[in-house]
Amino acid sequence: MADDIERHTMAVLVDNEPGILARVVGLFSGRGYNIDSLTVAEVDPANNLSRITIVTSGTRMIIEQIKAQLSRLVPVHKVHDLTDEGPFVEREMALIKVTGKGEARIESLRLADIFRSQVIDSTIESFVFEITGSAEKINAFIALMEPLGLVEVSRTGAVAIARGPTSF
C-alpha cells in the first residue's frame, strides 16, 4: 500500500560549518517530519566535511520529499538513502547506569556478560555499562535492567554505513 509508513536511514555528507545542523533539523521540523535518530561528526577534516546520519519514518512520498529537500540545501554534498540503496550496517551505543546490591548486582553483571556489554565504571552501589548493537538489542538490555535498578540511559542514536567495497 502506498501509504505505509517506512523507516529509512540516510547518510548526508555536508560541509562542516556553523548552522548546517540547524538547517537540516529546520527542514524536518518546518515540514512536520519526525527525526527518530540523528548523529553527526566530522569525517574528513582535510576537506572540512561532516556526516549526518538521520533515521526518519514516513510514507514513500514523504521519504522522497525529504531526500529531494536535503539535496537542495547548499552545504549538502551527497544524500544516500541507505535503506533503498542496499545492505548496510547500523549500530547504536548506549551508556546505562544501574544501581543495586547483592543479588541484583550479580544479576546485572550476568546479563551484561550475555549482552556483551562492558563495565566502564563501578562503585560499591552502581555500574555503568557500555553496550553497542542494534536498537532492538539495546532496548532489550534496558528492559532487563529496569527491575534491577536502572537509573539513567544515554544513547548515541544510529550510525550506519553501506556494506561492500563502495564508499560514500
Side-chain angles (χ1 to χ4, degrees):
M1 179 184 282
D3 289 344
D4 288 344
I5 301 296
E6 303 175 2
R7 178 184 183 273
H8 283 251
T9 301
M10 297 179 201
V12 184
L13 193 63
V14 299
D15 287 336
N16 185 14
E17 63 183 39
I20 181 57
L21 187 58
R23 291 180 66 194
V24 169
V25 170
L27 182 149
F28 278 79
S29 64
R31 290 159 181 81
Y33 304 148
N34 191 43
I35 296 174
D36 299 328
S37 173
L38 175 78
T39 59
V40 61
E42 186 175 48
V43 294
D44 185 349
N47 292 308
N48 201 35
L49 297 175
S50 290
R51 181 182 178 122
I52 302 172
T53 304
I54 303 169
V55 179
T56 189
S57 300
T59 63
R60 172 54 62 178
M61 186 177 78
I62 288 174
I63 297 298
E64 293 303 322
Q65 286 175 350
I66 289 170
K67 291 190 291 191
Q69 290 164 0
L70 281 171
S71 295
R72 282 196 288 271
L73 287 177
V74 172
V76 171
H77 293 271
K78 294 181 185 176
V79 177
H80 285 278
D81 185 343
L82 297 171
T83 304
D84 280 349
E85 293 177 10
F88 66 98
V89 178
E90 182 176 287
R91 291 291 180 265
E92 220 181 285
M93 192 271 290
L95 301 176
I96 300 164
K97 187 184 296 182
V98 179
T99 61
K101 294 184 177 182
E103 215 35 60
R105 189 170 171 86
I106 293 166
E107 181 65 9
S108 66
L109 284 171
R110 189 182 71 74
L111 288 169
D113 187 50
I114 291 169
F115 278 80
R116 295 189 178 124
S117 173
Q118 303 279 336
V119 175
I120 60 167
D121 185 62
S122 177
T123 68
I124 293 173
E125 294 183 356
S126 69
F127 291 115
V128 175
F129 297 104
E130 176 185 326
I131 186 168
T132 304
S134 67
E136 294 78 15
K137 175 185 175 181
I138 293 172
N139 290 340
F141 185 68
I142 291 168
L144 290 169
M145 289 296 169
E146 283 178 356
L148 299 175
L150 180 69
V151 174
E152 188 175 355
V153 175
S154 179
R155 293 175 85 151
T156 61
V159 293
I161 195 163
R163 295 190 62 194
T166 59
S167 69
F168 200 115

